[in-house]
Amino acid sequence: MARDRLGALPHGGQIERPRLLDRLRRRFEVRLTTIVGGGGSGKTTLLTQAMADEAANVDIWYPCEPVDRSPDRLWAGLLASCQRVLGGDADAPEGDPVDQIADLVLATSPRHVCLVLDDTQLLPGTDVLEELLRCLPSNGHVLVSGRRTLDLPTARLDAAGQFVHVSQSDLMMTPDEIVEFANLRGIDADALRSAEGWPAFVELATRSHGSDPRSYLEQEALDSLDVDRRRHLAALALVGGGDD
């Protein structure tokens, strides 16, 4: 599961963030949990900490890849992950993967199961996710984490008390968390203020080998934007920002 990505998994130790971990513990109580934040905002670190803290229920972590743009490939990958964690015969006759996943989750009852899909910005749509939300048994739950908000039926779920959301602003480190982080690393917290709470840049500010925040920003954030959005962002930066 380890990744060598700034802001993703611990580098020299990371603080725990109870205000966010408490929210993620509810993933086994609600149907859908979403985490949305840019590259380096600490999404995967948070997920790793939340899953490591869980003993009573079951997380199935699935990192989305470009090949998962194919719904058939995504279903096959999700089913294989469920079979590895929950058991089941990988050589059983082929059937509807939705039904097979639902059966595996139901067989785990009374324990709850959360399918954790990371990097969901790589998916072309939400059909597979919506099918999971419709078809999983009551002890099944879905958590999606990515760089953009997906068009999922969150209003209906929220009205029913079945939705938890962690936004990019939630992921930013608070002043108290920055102080705790600085104490953990043995540095002056004032040296981290310029990062404005962005986890990846807070991490970069602790490095002594000359890490370049500009390069990180270009590779992790700007390269993922299409040409028109980069042009609009450049215009906003030139004029000093703008309203919504």
Side-chain angles (χ1 to χ4, degrees), residues 92-223:
E94 290 187 8
D96 187 342
V98 185
D99 292 338
Q100 293 182 70
I101 291 172
D103 289 344
L104 287 170
V105 172
L106 182 60
T108 309
S109 181
R111 299 176 76 190
H112 287 254
V113 177
C114 185
L115 298 179
V116 180
L117 287 84
D118 197 10
D119 289 329
T120 53
Q121 73 275 358
L122 297 175
L123 304 181
T126 61
D127 290 349
V128 170
L129 300 176
E130 292 186 52
E131 187 71 8
L132 281 174
L133 292 171
R134 280 194 298 269
C135 296
L136 283 176
S138 59
N139 68 317
H141 313 268
V142 177
L143 186 154
V144 298
S145 174
R147 296 186 179 186
R148 59 182 175 84
T149 301
L150 299 179
D151 186 18
L152 289 167
T154 56
R156 174 177 55 82
L157 291 168
D158 195 20
Q162 289 294 311
F163 177 54
V164 169
H165 178 59
V166 176
S167 68
Q168 179 163 303
S169 61
D170 295 323
L171 291 166
M172 297 300 99
M173 297 173 70
T174 66
D176 287 344
E177 288 171 343
I178 290 174
V179 170
E180 183 181 352
F181 186 85
N183 290 339
L184 177 67
R185 296 300 181 88
I187 62 175
D188 187 345
D190 288 339
L192 308 180
R193 303 296 183 193
S194 62
E196 297 185 352
W198 195 281
F201 290 104
V202 170
E203 177 66 56
L204 282 169
T206 69
R207 306 284 182 95
S208 59
H209 54 66
S211 297
D212 181 6
R214 181 186 179 91
S215 295
Y216 180 82
L217 179 63
E218 290 173 348
Q219 294 169 19
E220 287 294 316
L222 296 182
D223 284 354

Side-chain angles (χ1 to χ4, degrees), residues 23-35:
R23 202 176 303 182
L24 288 195
R25 288 188 185 102
R26 295 193 58 216
R27 68 192 182 278
F28 295 108
E29 303 170 9
V30 302
R31 194 64 162 177
L32 174 65
T33 302
T34 60
I35 305 174

Side-chain angles (χ1 to χ4, degrees), residues 26-121:
R26 295 193 58 216
R27 68 192 182 278
F28 295 108
E29 303 170 9
V30 302
R31 194 64 162 177
L32 174 65
T33 302
T34 60
I35 305 174
V36 178
S41 58
K43 300 183 297 297
T44 304
T45 294
L46 180 62
L47 284 173
T48 303
Q49 292 176 342
M51 290 188 287
D53 188 46
E54 180 57 40
N57 298 299
V58 182
D59 286 300
I60 299 175
W61 185 69
Y62 187 84
C64 297
E65 299 177 354
V67 292
D68 292 314
R69 291 181 176 276
S70 162
D72 289 342
R73 172 62 179 80
L74 178 56
W75 279 122
L78 288 171
L79 177 58
S81 294
C82 288
Q83 289 171 331
R84 280 195 299 271
V85 177
L86 303 178
D89 186 0
D91 297 323
E94 290 187 8
D96 187 342
V98 185
D99 292 338
Q100 293 182 70
I101 291 172
D103 289 344
L104 287 170
V105 172
L106 182 60
T108 309
S109 181
R111 299 176 76 190
H112 287 254
V113 177
C114 185
L115 298 179
V116 180
L117 287 84
D118 197 10
D119 289 329
T120 53
Q121 73 275 358

